[in-house]
């Protein structure tokens, strides 16, 4: 892995971990990267502009209204192959999540067209606070790569989570990340996500608890690796990442029709929780509550995964999802064979932290040759990277 010729923009916020950034800049330059630095005023309390400019061989920018800086905040985000904010303080994190723009670093972030990654650094209690978790999840939804923190001695003297990743680890991550960029260029990907809502009347529907987070994370990861991504989404309120073509399909029938129109894919990932049954009759008026029982007649919906499997051509890769509550592995293998998929991703509701309406997932990958691979519990954005790694290997 090499960073030779890569353009790395470093953003430094006010954290004690900023003292490590001269080492990071030196290592990046040693690996052949061209480095630029932008920093907040608070960061200057921890690291010298002179040190950073000497090591990067370029001026350090910090003032939004200094001569040249106003246009540079746009140009830097277009110049860079990667914008790495390290360290990311709790304060700057909250501003990024809210879309604030009161300094040069934030203005550069909001105008950046390159990939953005953050390396948080804060005390353990701040790291575990619900507001911090919510802000990080919002950044992930925007497509920002959130790098894991380390465990060890903190500035407060406590021992725990919250340490910024070490410079050597950041350099290795950047090399791996940029190496994967573009590896799926020229490929067309179809992804489904979210639930479907099957109407009973103008007010009520049959649905499920799917949040769509897994499918949206997969669509974003495929797009970051260069694929042309078409995301067919059920009724969720998540934002699609830049570059992802979003198609709204709230019902099983609409999702089926959208997928059939996009059946010329190279990669299809069926992550949506599509209803298996839909009402035969839909009332034009709200159904009134009566004295007796209400009986619904349901019919099967069209099976999108099976339909794509039946018409799959050479060179197409089809990935299915299964959510099981019993005999998980057996049912997953049967579904993989029955639906004509190349890879099946199994969720089990018996695994804590996996399934619907949570930000983490724990899955098992089942392959057509009979072998399987367990992935650990981790954020859905990281699970998406693992799944796309598996897809790339199969290609």
């Amino acid at each position: 892995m090499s960073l030779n010729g890569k353009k790395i923009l470093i953003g430094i916020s006010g954290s004690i971990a900023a003292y490590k950034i001269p080492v990071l800049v030196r290592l990046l330059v040693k690996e052949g990267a061209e480095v630029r630095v932008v920093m907040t005023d608070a960061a200057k309390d921890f690291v010298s502009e002179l040190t950073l400019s000497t090591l990067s061989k370029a001026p350090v920018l910090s003032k939004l209204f200094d001569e040249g800086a106003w246009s540079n905040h746009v140009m830097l985000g277009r110049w860079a192959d990667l914008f790495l904010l390290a360290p990311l303080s709790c304060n700057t994190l909250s501003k990024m999540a809210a879309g604030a723009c009161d300094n040069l670093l934030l203005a550069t972030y909001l105008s950046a067209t390159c990939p953005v990654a953050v390396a948080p650094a804060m005390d353990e209690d701040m790291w575990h606070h619900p507001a911090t978790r919510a802000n990080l999840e919002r950044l992930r939804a925007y497509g920002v790569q959130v790098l894991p923190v380390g465990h060890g001695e903190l500035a407060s003297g406590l021992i725990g989570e919250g340490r910024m990743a070490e410079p050597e680890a950041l350099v290795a991550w950047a090399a791996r990340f940029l190496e994967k960029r573009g590896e799926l260029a020229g490929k067309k990907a179809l992804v489904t996500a979210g639930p479907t809502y099957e109407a009973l009347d103008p007010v009520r529907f049959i649905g499920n608890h799917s949040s769509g987070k897994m499918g949206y994370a997969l669509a974003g990861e495929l797009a970051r690796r260069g694929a042309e991504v078409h995301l067919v989404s059920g009724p969720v309120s998540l934002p699609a990442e830049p570059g992802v073509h979003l198609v709204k399909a709230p019902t099983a029938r609409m999702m089926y029709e959208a997928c059939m129109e996009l059946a010329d894919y190279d990669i299809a990932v069926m992550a949506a929780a599509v209803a298996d049954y839909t009402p035969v009759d839909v009332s034009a008026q709200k159904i009134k509550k009566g004295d007796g029982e209400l009986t619904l007649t349901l019919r099967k919906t069209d099976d999108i995964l099976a339909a794509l499997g039946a018409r799959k051509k050479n060179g197409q890769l089809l990935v299915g999802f299964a959510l099981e509550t019993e005999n998980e592995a057996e049912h997953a293998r049967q579904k993989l064979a029955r639906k004509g998929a190349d890879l099946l991703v199994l969720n089990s509701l018996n695994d804590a932290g996996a399934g619907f309406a949570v930000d983490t997932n724990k899955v098992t990958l089942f392959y057509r040759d009979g072998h399987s691979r367990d992935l650990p519990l981790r954020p859905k954005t990281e699970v998406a990277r693992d799944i796309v790694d598996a897809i790339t290997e199969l290609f």
Side-chain angles (χ1 to χ4, degrees), residues 3 46 55 108 196 198 214 228 231 234 286 312 368 388:
L3 288 169
F46 303 102
L55 292 171
T108 305
T196 63
E198 309 303 315
M214 191 71 252
E228 175 193 332
L231 174 59
K286 179 182 176 182
K312 184 161 65 74
R368 291 187 70 174
V388 176

Side-chain angles (χ1 to χ4, degrees), residues 266-349:
D266 297 295
I267 303 163
V269 185
M270 300 292 100
V274 185
D276 292 323
Y277 292 89
T278 190
V280 171
D281 297 311
V282 179
S283 174
Q285 304 298 327
K286 179 182 176 182
I287 300 171
K288 298 298 183 181
K289 185 176 182 179
D291 294 332
E293 296 179 348
L294 175 65
T295 300
L296 298 175
T297 303
L298 306 176
R299 60 172 175 81
K300 283 187 177 181
T301 57
D302 296 308
D303 192 319
I304 301 173
L305 181 61
L308 291 176
R311 63 177 65 185
K312 184 161 65 74
K313 302 174 183 176
N314 290 336
Q316 290 185 315
L317 186 70
L318 180 60
V319 181
F321 270 66
L323 180 67
E324 302 291 345
T325 59
E326 60 179 352
N327 299 324
E328 293 97 336
E330 178 184 352
H331 289 158
R333 289 191 173 93
Q334 290 175 355
K335 183 173 182 178
L336 175 64
R338 190 171 67 250
K339 301 297 179 73
D342 300 289
L343 180 69
L344 191 125
V345 183
L346 171 67
N347 283 119
S348 172
L349 284 183

Side-chain angles (χ1 to χ4, degrees), residues 30-107:
K30 186 178 180 180
E31 289 295 320
E34 187 176 349
V35 180
R36 296 287 184 271
V37 177
V38 59
M39 63 194 304
T40 65
D41 284 337
K44 297 176 186 178
D45 292 331
F46 303 102
V47 65
S48 160
E49 287 181 277
L50 178 59
T51 299
L52 294 164
S53 63
T54 301
L55 292 171
S56 66
K57 301 178 177 64
V60 174
L61 298 176
S62 60
K63 297 292 186 183
L64 185 57
F65 296 107
D66 279 354
E67 184 176 355
W70 178 250
S71 59
N72 275 339
H73 83 270
V74 174
M75 297 307 298
L76 282 170
R78 293 177 176 271
W79 166 84
D81 295 307
L82 175 66
F83 185 12
L84 173 60
L85 285 85
L88 175 68
S89 68
C90 195
N91 184 52
T92 296
L93 166 63
S94 68
K95 289 183 177 183
M96 290 175 67
C101 187
D102 63 359
N103 60 45
L104 181 60
L105 185 149
L106 292 169

